Amino acid sequence: MDTEIKQELTQFARNLGASLIGFAPVTRWDEFNEVEIPYRPHNIWPEAKTVIVIGVPVLLPILETTPSINYVEQYNTANILLDQIAYRLAVHLNDRGHGSMFFPRDGYGDIKILIEKPKASFSHVFAGKYAGLGTIGFNHTLLTEQYGPRVRYASVFTSLALEGGPILTRELCTQCRDCQKVCPSQAFTPREGQVISAMDKVACAKHHAQIRDERRFPCGICIKVCPIGKDRLLYNSTDKTQLYLEEKAAIEENPQDPRYSSWVHVREHGSRGGRIC
Ligand code: SF4
Ligand code: SF4
């Protein structure tokens, strides 16, 4: 019965544009005991039995131009699509007698609020892990086999109890630290014996406040360079590490460097800056 319902919900979400969909029983937050208690779904909404996590991909060739207006537009498009899928899935469940609501992909009114308090009321990253969609990498994102960290998420809380997807046991993060090397705010610090870094979220938020004022928010460089994800095969982009790591210095030395001309071209239009951060 569970399988049939999950197949129907998966197809419903896919028909609306979801690429990834996973099911996390709320008990997993207590089993793993990683997320602070007020941030667990059944503490946010006591009726919740399952969190359905939905993901849409970030398209790598556009992400490679970040920071740019084109990446801003892609980000906004993905966000609108996600929230609409999540809203419609929640209503679909309500229509079938299962009380449901959704948590939008972000939960802050302005980036400057994140500088004061750099924390969302609910983490889709942990929800995605508990739904079996991926593992959490050094850069605090959910790494998936299909798209690495290049996915945006929203979550539906439902009173319908469903069996969870299998949790990924193999860590996808290779600890290459490419994300750390390119981060313009130097937000990541390795932690001995831990996959996930210590992250200076305030530094990341301050950087975002600056590029937001230049009309080229968000940053996303740490998800651009991550080598994980089959999407790299699709775009023939499996061997770009050196290109990414040398980008900032190369463009500073020669803004016309032909290796980066297509990305620079996009950056020079529609937003202030033009350079990489
Ligand atoms: S989004 Fe940009 S500033 Fe923030 S952690 Fe990633 S690379 Fe660093
Ligand atoms: S860039 Fe490397 S270290 Fe960073 S999250 Fe991806 S695999 Fe992990």
Side-chain angles (χ1 to χ4, degrees):
M1 187 65 176
D2 254 23
T3 309
E4 268 173 39
I5 294 172
K6 282 162 66 178
Q7 279 173 349
E8 191 269 323
L9 295 174
T10 299
Q11 198 53 52
F12 183 87
R14 283 195 185 283
N15 288 346
L16 293 173
S19 292
L20 297 181
I21 179 163
F23 301 84
V26 296
T27 48
R28 286 195 172 161
W29 274 256
D30 294 336
E31 284 163 27
F32 280 84
N33 200 26
E34 298 168 306
V35 174
E36 291 170 76
I37 289 170
Y39 295 81
R40 298 179 189 181
H42 43 300
N43 286 295
I44 293 171
W45 186 46
E47 296 302 314
K49 299 282 189 304
T50 310
V51 176
I52 306 175
V53 186
I54 295 154
V56 302
V58 172
L59 310 184
L60 180 61
I62 301 177
L63 174 62
E64 286 180 325
T65 69
T66 191
S68 73
I69 190 66
N70 285 27
Y71 182 51
V72 175
E73 297 293 3
Q74 171 176 244
Y75 185 79
N76 292 338
T77 302
N79 286 344
I80 291 164
L81 176 63
L82 257 183
D83 286 352
Q84 291 191 348
I85 298 167
Y87 179 84
R88 291 179 67 178
L89 183 57
V91 172
H92 178 72
L93 283 155
N94 284 340
D95 289 345
R96 277 148 188 77
H98 312 294
S100 304
M101 60 93 156
F102 81 102
F103 245 76
R105 81 283 163 190
D106 287 323
Y108 59 91
D110 188 277
I111 193 67
K112 289 188 175 157
I113 293 168
L114 285 188
I115 294 173
E116 294 161 25
K117 188 174 184 179
K119 194 159 187 171
S121 54
F122 177 73
S123 167
H124 301 293
V125 168
F126 278 97
K129 172 181 170 178
Y130 302 150
L133 294 180
T135 63
I136 303 176
F138 181 85
N139 63 6
H140 289 237
T141 64
L142 186 71
L143 304 187
T144 65
E145 289 175 340
Q146 297 92 328
Y147 306 103
R150 290 168 292 280
V151 184
R152 301 279 303 146
Y153 296 99
S155 301
V156 172
F157 290 19
T158 179
S159 58
L160 176 64
L162 290 168
E163 194 185 329
I167 300 277
L168 277 192
T169 49
R170 180 175 69 89
E171 287 293 347
L172 297 181
C173 179
T174 61
Q175 295 291 306
C176 68
R177 309 268 170 89
D178 290 350
C179 50
Q180 181 189 13
K181 291 169 202 157
V182 297
C183 172
S185 62
Q186 300 181 329
F188 303 119
T189 305
R191 288 191 293 183
E192 188 68 35
Q194 304 226 30
V195 173
I196 306 171
S197 68
M199 182 174 177
D200 185 344
K201 292 182 179 170
V202 173
C204 174
K206 282 182 176 169
H207 177 66
H208 275 100
Q210 181 201 325
I211 61 174
R212 193 270 312 267
D213 291 345
E214 297 168 353
R215 300 291 182 269
R216 47 191 203 139
F217 162 99
C219 165
I221 292 174
C222 54
I223 67 167
K224 159 182 158 175
V225 303
C226 181
I228 309 304
K230 291 178 187 159
D231 56 335
R232 291 202 167 276
L233 291 170
L234 179 68
Y235 293 120
N236 195 21
S237 294
T238 52
D239 192 20
K240 284 191 166 170
T241 300
Q242 276 313 110
L243 192 71
Y244 294 148
L245 295 182
E246 292 168 10
E247 182 178 2
K248 187 170 190 289
I251 293 173
E252 277 171 3
E253 192 178 315
N254 174 17
Q256 272 82 48
D257 188 321
R259 293 177 297 163
Y260 303 103
S261 58
S262 60
W263 301 345
V264 169
H265 169 77
V266 173
R267 279 178 207 141
E268 283 176 343
H269 295 81
S271 60
R272 297 193 193 100
R275 66 196 187 282
I276 191 160
C277 302

